[in-house]
Amino acid sequence: MHLLVIGLAVVALSGVVALFAGRVASRVAALGCVAGSLVGLVPALQAMGGHPFPELRPAWALPLGEFHLALDALSGWFLAPIFVLASLAAIYGLGYFAG
């Protein structure tokens, strides 16, 4: 589960870093997207294979509801193509930002 959160964080942070990267922004964003997707793909494939993941329930200080994150086989089935397609789109998009 922690690899999934790390992968999503890498994808999000690479976009923020790309804002300040200047001329190499598209490469930084694409590299971060591919790296984060590869990290996130590992738990998605493990979940599809039947590996159980404990729920992530951090302390939640807000008065309404609670926050928890779970990963099961169906979630992995939907996450795997999202991570693969995001990586392919990031690599494909590099050609548009070459100029």
Side-chain angles (χ1 to χ4, degrees):
M1 179 60 69
H2 294 310
L3 278 178
L4 179 64
V5 174
I6 291 170
L8 293 174
V10 168
V11 171
L13 289 176
S14 69
V16 173
V17 170
L19 288 173
F20 305 105
R23 296 180 57 183
V24 294
S26 61
R27 290 188 180 139
V28 168
L31 180 67
C33 184
V34 170
S37 294
L38 288 176
V39 170
L41 190 61
V42 171
L45 293 176
Q46 286 177 343
M48 286 172 51
H51 183 273
F53 286 97
E55 290 184 358
L56 182 63
R57 291 181 179 260
W60 190 254
L62 294 177
L64 300 174
E66 64 179 344
F67 178 80
H68 71 277
L69 189 63
L71 182 62
D72 60 353
L74 184 61
S75 301
W77 178 256
F78 286 105
L79 280 174
I82 289 172
F83 284 133
V84 170
L85 290 174
S87 296
L88 294 174
I91 294 168
Y92 182 76
L94 282 174
Y96 288 102
F97 293 111

